[in-house]
């Protein structure tokens, strides 16, 4: 039964849930139905984490459950509100958009996912290089467990910057609202999978898709160790820039996560909102990304795992 969940859960989320999102958005269904699908995905995520936990202790609140729910509500609301901006952008842009409307709807969504993945990954990488961005992004790296809701445990300003990085090229191209709605819902599903505490399996796709097995390496607490596996949907750009790492022998506990330079980083929601603008949210571990090859990164991970 557990093996059925291990292999069936990611398939259900990646194909079933995302497929339902694409079908609903493409048919012009009310956005409330897309919200309902995302809520169902959250329920599936929590169920899988309890059926096949990677780390049983991560299913228990570390005093962070209420804070994480607040982050999810605020950031998901911002994401939904951003959809209202698209018609305004279209009106300002006027005719002459380059969007490939002739493509099947699913192909338009796939295009949006790939373009957004590049933009969001670029902002993410920059957030590990530049101090002012790191101060905002550090909120996300303060986690001491990986589970579904961690994906949206972000400072709302950083969430906004990542969103702009991902969707601005799409808005310039003339992305339609239904495609944007599908993309927004699929981002939420991807974040659930990427931070999930479920010990699921995807085979060789682990080296292509940005899922939890690789993303745990991004949350390592040692200075510079988390400058890997930046992608949101895929690991294509991590392969291209030499920031891809995966060592299947490595196991993680709460002691391996967080920020070694900021062990006392504020944990409450309101404190995290102001932390980037105070001494408590200083740059800490931020620094230029090390110029290392993928082989050197993997060897470094291997040394830490022994």
């Amino acid at each position: 039964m557990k093996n059925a969940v291990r292999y069936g859960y990611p398939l259900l989320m990646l194909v079933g849930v995302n497929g339902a999102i694409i079908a609903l958005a493409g048919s012009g269904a009310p956005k409330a139905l897309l919200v309902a699908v995302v809520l169902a995905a959250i329920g599936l995520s929590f169920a899988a984490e309890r059926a096949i936990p990677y780390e049983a202790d991560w299913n228990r609140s570390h005093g962070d459950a209420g804070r994480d729910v607040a982050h999810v509500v605020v950031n998901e609301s911002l994401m939904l509100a951003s959809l209202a901006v698209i018609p305004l952008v279209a009106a300002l842009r006027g005719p002459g958009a380059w969007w490939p409307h002739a493509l099947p709807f699913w192909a338009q969504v796939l295009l949006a996912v790939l373009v957004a993945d590049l933009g969001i990954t670029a902002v993410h990488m920059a957030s590990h290089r530049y101090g002012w961005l790191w101060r905002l992004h550090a909120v996300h790296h303060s986690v001491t467990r990986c589970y579904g809701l961690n994906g949206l445990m972000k400072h709302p300003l950083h969430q906004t910057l990542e969103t702009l990085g991902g969707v601005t090229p799409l808005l310039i191209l003339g992305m339609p609202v239904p495609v944007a709605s599908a993309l927004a819902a699929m981002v939420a599903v991807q974040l659930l999978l990427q931070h999930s505490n479920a010990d699921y399996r995807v085979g060789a796709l682990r080296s292509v898709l940005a899922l939890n097995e690789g993303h745990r390496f991004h949350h390592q607490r040692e200075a510079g160790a988390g400058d890997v596996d930046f992608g949101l949907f895929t690991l294509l750009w991590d392969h291209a820039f030499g920031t891809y790492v995966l060592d299947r022998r490595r196991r993680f506990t709460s002691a391996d996560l967080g920020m070694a330079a900021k062990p006392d980083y504020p944990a409450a929601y309101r404190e995290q909102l102001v932390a980037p603008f105070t001494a408590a949210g200083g740059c800490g571990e931020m620094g230029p990304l090390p110029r290392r090859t993928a082989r050197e990164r993997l060897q470094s991970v291997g040394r830490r795992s022994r």
Side-chain angles (χ1 to χ4, degrees), residues 115-140:
V115 173
D117 190 48
L118 172 58
I120 292 171
T121 300
V123 173
H124 195 175
M125 286 182 171
S127 299
H128 283 244
R129 183 183 292 268
Y130 300 105
W132 67 275
L133 275 172
W134 171 253
R135 293 176 75 98
L136 294 172
H137 186 48
V139 171
H140 183 66

Side-chain angles (χ1 to χ4, degrees), residues 218-288:
H218 183 73
H219 281 276
Q220 296 174 95
R221 65 182 281 112
E222 297 97 338
D227 294 337
V228 296
D229 298 339
F230 290 95
L232 172 60
F233 283 102
T234 77
L235 295 167
L236 298 177
W237 302 109
D238 287 291
H239 283 289
F241 292 112
T243 55
Y244 167 74
V245 156
L246 180 64
D247 181 355
R248 302 200 67 202
R249 300 167 300 173
R250 177 73 187 271
R251 291 284 304 181
F252 290 90
T253 66
S254 289
D256 302 307
L257 307 182
M259 295 182 290
K262 288 287 180 180
D264 298 321
Y265 193 87
Y269 180 72
R270 291 182 181 178
E271 292 174 353
Q272 289 189 341
L273 291 184
V274 302
F277 313 104
T278 66
C283 292
E285 306 166 9
M286 185 282 307

Side-chain angles (χ1 to χ4, degrees), residues 25-43:
S27 66
K31 290 184 176 59
L33 288 180
L34 289 177
V35 173
V37 172
V38 171
L39 291 175
I42 292 173

Side-chain angles (χ1 to χ4, degrees), residues 113-301:
V113 165
L114 293 175
V115 173
D117 190 48
L118 172 58
I120 292 171
T121 300
V123 173
H124 195 175
M125 286 182 171
S127 299
H128 283 244
R129 183 183 292 268
Y130 300 105
W132 67 275
L133 275 172
W134 171 253
R135 293 176 75 98
L136 294 172
H137 186 48
V139 171
H140 183 66
H141 278 270
S142 67
V143 299
T144 56
R145 61 176 176 141
C146 282
Y147 76 114
L149 294 190
N150 281 158
L152 280 165
M153 209 285 280
K154 302 178 181 181
H155 196 284
L157 287 179
H158 195 267
Q159 165 83 3
T160 301
L161 291 171
E162 280 193 336
T163 300
L164 287 173
V167 305
T168 297
L170 296 168
L171 293 177
I172 294 172
L173 289 172
M175 174 178 60
V177 174
V179 174
S181 298
L183 176 62
M186 290 172 68
V187 166
V189 172
Q190 181 64 20
L191 289 171
L192 286 170
L193 281 169
Q194 189 178 61
H195 295 81
S196 176
N197 185 34
D199 189 21
Y200 60 76
R201 302 284 189 273
V202 294
L205 288 176
R206 72 176 72 90
S207 298
V208 179
L209 301 180
L211 298 173
N212 63 352
E213 190 172 2
H215 195 69
R216 294 184 193 111
F217 289 90
H218 183 73
H219 281 276
Q220 296 174 95
R221 65 182 281 112
E222 297 97 338
D227 294 337
V228 296
D229 298 339
F230 290 95
L232 172 60
F233 283 102
T234 77
L235 295 167
L236 298 177
W237 302 109
D238 287 291
H239 283 289
F241 292 112
T243 55
Y244 167 74
V245 156
L246 180 64
D247 181 355
R248 302 200 67 202
R249 300 167 300 173
R250 177 73 187 271
R251 291 284 304 181
F252 290 90
T253 66
S254 289
D256 302 307
L257 307 182
M259 295 182 290
K262 288 287 180 180
D264 298 321
Y265 193 87
Y269 180 72
R270 291 182 181 178
E271 292 174 353
Q272 289 189 341
L273 291 184
V274 302
F277 313 104
T278 66
C283 292
E285 306 166 9
M286 185 282 307
L289 296 176
R291 304 289 184 181
R292 294 183 291 171
T293 66
R295 179 184 294 274
E296 288 170 335
R297 290 177 183 275
L298 186 55
Q299 288 172 343
S300 177
V301 170

Side-chain angles (χ1 to χ4, degrees), residues 31 78-89 177:
K31 290 184 176 59
L78 286 173
M79 197 176 296
L80 289 172
S82 68
L83 297 176
V85 177
I86 295 175
L88 298 177
V89 173
V177 174

